[in-house]
Amino acid sequence: MASANSTRMSGDINRRTLLAAAPAALAAAPASALCVIDPADTPVMRLFREWEAHTKIVISACDDHDMPEDEFEELSQRQTDIEDEIARIPPQNLRDFAAKMFARSTGGKMDLPREEDCPGLWAGVRDLIG
């Protein structure tokens, strides 16, 4: 499991400012995307859809300058918890693998964790390789 500090960034940039700069396309996804559940989805993809919906909430919270920092941190921690859950589930196919990488890197905005910080992620990669 990643440490609590794994999402912290140095300098004046923190997760809140990073997510506030997220592409408008991610933040402006249709509301129907928040509740789409495909029964054929794998466990990874079901969690990934939850992560996408929660990420939209976190990005929206970035714009809420009246939100207390502790409430924002709680939202952000839930996003990290979902990412950790996704990382622990073995990918069943390449789509799962792509979803895991996307979520774990916050859509490519953060570095991927080292193996010792997130062994489930890299074990799944090794299993896909064979």
Side-chain angles (χ1 to χ4, degrees), residues 27-77:
S32 60
L34 297 177
C35 59
V36 173
I37 296 175
D38 182 349
D41 270 348
T42 63
V44 168
M45 288 308 298
R46 281 191 291 276
L47 272 173
F48 180 77
R49 300 220 189 284
E50 182 181 341
W51 175 84
E52 283 183 307
H54 193 78
T55 297
K56 290 173 189 139
I57 293 167
V58 172
I59 289 169
S60 177
C62 289
D63 295 330
D64 183 359
H65 300 291
D66 294 330
M67 178 181 276
E69 191 66 26
D70 61 328
E71 285 181 34
F72 178 80
E73 287 299 321
E74 196 173 308
L75 280 175
S76 183
Q77 184 58 51

Side-chain angles (χ1 to χ4, degrees), residues 2 6-9 14-23 26 48 51-52 54-56 58-59 62 72 75-84 86-87 98-113 121:
S6 66
T7 57
R8 296 193 190 273
M9 301 178 73
N14 60 28
R15 189 173 184 143
R16 184 178 205 148
T17 57
L18 178 71
L19 290 173
L26 181 61
F48 180 77
W51 175 84
E52 283 183 307
H54 193 78
T55 297
K56 290 173 189 139
V58 172
I59 289 169
C62 289
F72 178 80
L75 280 175
S76 183
Q77 184 58 51
R78 177 61 188 136
Q79 181 180 11
T80 301
D81 292 345
I82 296 169
E83 292 164 2
D84 289 345
I86 290 171
K100 288 169 70 91
M101 294 296 140
F102 191 86
R104 197 60 201 181
S105 67
T106 312
K109 292 170 184 56
M110 307 280 281
D111 291 335
L112 289 170
L121 181 70

Side-chain angles (χ1 to χ4, degrees), residues 93-104:
N93 52 44
L94 289 176
R95 186 176 184 209
D96 279 2
F97 171 73
K100 288 169 70 91
M101 294 296 140
F102 191 86
R104 197 60 201 181

